[in-house]
Amino acid sequence: MAAHEKAVELFTQAADNLTDPELQAFAKTHLPALKHLLEMARALAKAHPSK
C-alpha cells in the first residue's frame, strides 16, 4: 500500500510542478489510473484485513 501511496504522491507533484511539458503531461495522463489503483488496494485491504 505504501508504494501505491508514494507513486500517487510523486505523480501529483510531477503533474503540478514539472516544467518539462512532456513529462508533466505524462504524469497528468497516468495520475487518474494510479489513484484508481490506490483506491482498489485500499478497498481490498479493508475487505481482507491482515490477521
Side-chain angles (χ1 to χ4, degrees):
M1 184 88 60
H4 289 293
E5 292 169 345
K6 186 65 175 176
V8 168
E9 177 185 335
L10 290 172
F11 270 69
T12 299
Q13 290 175 359
D16 292 342
N17 301 318
L18 283 178
T19 57
D20 182 316
E22 288 184 48
L23 290 176
Q24 189 177 39
F26 181 88
K28 286 182 178 182
T29 299
H30 292 85
L31 186 56
L34 289 172
K35 286 181 177 181
H36 179 69
L37 289 171
L38 177 57
E39 289 306 313
M40 288 179 16
R42 286 179 175 157
L44 280 172
K46 186 176 179 181
H48 303 284
S50 299
K51 295 181 181 181

